[in-house]
Amino acid sequence: MFIGVPKEIKNHEYRVGLTPESVAELVSHGHNVIVETNAGTGIGADDDAYRAAGAEIAETAADIFANAEMIVKVKEPQAVERAMLREGQILYTYLHLAPDPEQTKDLVDSGAVCIAYETVTDDNGGLPLLKPMSQVAGRMSIQAGAGALEKAKGGLGVLLGGVPGVKPGKVVIIGGGVVGFNAAQMAVGLHADVTILDRNPAVLEKLENHFEASAKVVYSTKAALEEEVTNADLVVGAVLIPGAAAPKLVTRELISKMKPGAVVVDVAIDQGGCFETSKATTHAEPTYVVDDVVHYCVANMPGAVARTSTYALNNVTLPHALAIANNGWKQALADNRHLMNGLNVAHGKVTYKAVADDLGYEFVAPELC
């Protein structure tokens, strides 16, 4: 198969779809890989590294899209990239379609076969291609929140860990999944006052057993959420409904009751965000203020630590890329129901139910494509 890797063009996105090591693996299986020039500079991999791995180097993204049978990316295709997709071409990347009707329409209109990392599943009910980026984003959320709390950046001027004789900052994490767990690990490591909210008894028990007295674990009710959020210095939104738009758990009214200078970090922003006041931001302008509360809503947080993120991502995406390249997308999906769950759009049809339901499309079962 002819596989193409364009340079990511989203604001301050430094990751790349394939590392040189992944390229070498694909080439060893008889596939041809073409990489856009400078696509890997953000992870410290120059064009010569890709050439040494067996790739060809293309001068433009247009060359990639025109020739490749499968496009491997990291972030959702931007408008200029979507315009270059063609009927039957495979797109393998993060998509996050539920809160993005414009992207969904363009992908439907393109006729491309679009496989989303974030909806591929595993035997344990997890999302293995989303997990490593959730781990990165969860850990980064505390770094980002700690920085935003600095007075010069509009925050309260609170040090999360405190110092002897001064209370630590209060961190509230909404959601105890992969993002929430990793955020809690970092916040506990800083010696912050940490509370995690969730509604799943099994998750609550797991968190309680892991963190013991170093973090408080609370069943999430409307009253509990309001109490914790209004007293927090930093709130991390870490809620996920696979493939669907995130629920707006924190209303604007609740935001208005928070401390002036408090910070919210919405890790769920890729799926529309879980704060009613959230809107996607970029690494260039990561924050804005609503009702005196600093909002950090960067939609590609892991892009800031591109090398770590790219290698962690490739560890889980490469096996599926190989299966698709070796067997063709139809056979690869037929052989693996978990990979089939990644098919979101194919030949003008929406094949992921949560996306179809959220955006008003007719759902077509992926087996029928």
Side-chain angles (χ1 to χ4, degrees):
M1 184 175 282
F2 205 141
I3 301 161
V5 183
K7 182 177 174 64
E8 296 291 326
I9 59 173
K10 191 164 185 171
N11 182 280
H12 284 276
E13 180 52 70
Y14 302 107
R15 290 172 289 181
V16 62
L18 293 174
T19 64
E21 293 85 349
S22 293
V23 168
E25 191 76 14
L26 287 159
V27 170
S28 73
H29 282 76
H31 305 295
N32 297 313
V33 181
I34 183 170
V35 177
E36 186 179 353
T37 185
N38 296 321
T41 54
I43 66 164
D46 61 16
D47 289 350
D48 285 342
Y50 281 99
R51 288 191 184 96
E56 299 176 42
I57 301 300
E59 289 301 315
T60 67
D63 293 334
I64 302 287
F65 281 86
N67 292 290
E69 297 167 84
M70 176 165 66
I71 301 292
V72 179
K73 281 178 43 62
V74 178
K75 289 304 292 179
E76 73 280 358
Q78 304 301 290
V80 65
E81 295 173 309
R82 299 195 297 267
M84 292 188 282
L85 289 167
R86 64 178 185 272
E87 175 75 31
Q89 190 171 44
I90 303 164
L91 174 65
Y92 182 49
T93 189
Y94 286 117
L95 292 175
H96 301 290
L97 293 180
D100 194 344
E102 184 177 341
Q103 184 196 176
T104 304
K105 181 181 185 302
D106 288 349
L107 295 183
V108 168
D109 291 346
S110 74
V113 174
C114 306
I115 300 170
Y117 296 158
E118 72 274 9
T119 62
V120 174
T121 54
D122 63 21
D123 288 333
N124 301 315
L127 303 170
L129 276 59
L130 185 61
K131 184 176 182 178
M133 296 306 95
S134 296
Q135 292 169 327
V136 171
R139 296 180 182 207
M140 286 189 68
S141 69
I142 302 302
Q143 292 182 197
L149 276 168
E150 295 173 11
K151 195 65 180 176
K153 297 178 182 177
L156 268 168
V158 169
L159 182 66
L160 284 183
V163 292
V166 181
K167 288 182 179 180
K170 180 173 175 57
V171 177
V172 172
I173 299 166
I174 306 172
V178 176
V179 170
F181 177 81
N182 281 270
Q185 281 189 312
M186 295 295 282
V188 165
L190 290 174
H191 297 167
D193 177 357
V194 182
T195 300
I196 311 165
L197 295 162
D198 203 281
R199 296 177 68 91
N200 185 324
V203 169
L204 294 172
E205 183 175 0
K206 175 185 173 184
L207 294 169
E208 178 79 21
N209 290 337
H210 179 85
F211 289 108
E212 297 181 331
S214 60
K216 294 179 283 292
V217 178
V218 176
Y219 185 84
S220 185
T221 64
K222 184 176 180 181
L225 183 69
E226 181 165 350
E227 178 183 355
E228 297 297 338
V229 168
T230 53
N231 290 309
D233 300 311
L234 168 62
V235 180
V236 176
V239 179
L240 173 70
I241 299 175
K248 305 295 185 186
L249 295 181
V250 178
T251 64
R252 179 163 191 147
E253 180 183 6
L254 186 49
I255 290 284
S256 71
K257 295 178 181 178
M258 293 179 69
K259 304 173 187 177
V263 173
V264 296
V265 176
D266 198 342
V267 184
I269 194 64
D270 271 339
Q271 295 294 143
C274 60
F275 301 98
E276 192 174 23
T277 47
S278 291
K279 61 181 180 181
T281 61
T282 67
H283 288 293
E285 296 182 33
T287 63
Y288 60 94
V289 177
V290 176
D291 292 334
D292 297 321
V293 175
V294 180
H295 289 57
Y296 181 101
C297 303
V298 174
N300 60 326
M301 289 175 66
V305 287
R307 184 174 176 84
T308 296
S309 296
T310 296
Y311 277 90
L313 181 60
N314 271 232
N315 288 344
V316 292
T317 58
L318 177 61
H320 293 303
L322 276 167
I324 294 166
N326 289 341
N327 304 310
W329 72 269
K330 286 189 176 182
Q331 189 60 51
L333 269 59
D335 291 344
N336 186 337
R337 61 186 175 87
H338 295 303
L339 182 57
M340 185 173 288
N341 288 334
L343 189 67
N344 277 217
V345 174
H347 297 300
K349 306 294 183 183
V350 176
T351 57
Y352 195 81
K353 193 172 188 309
V355 172
D357 290 347
D358 281 351
L359 297 181
Y361 285 89
E362 178 187 359
F363 167 66
V364 177
E367 298 89 342
L368 301 179
C369 290

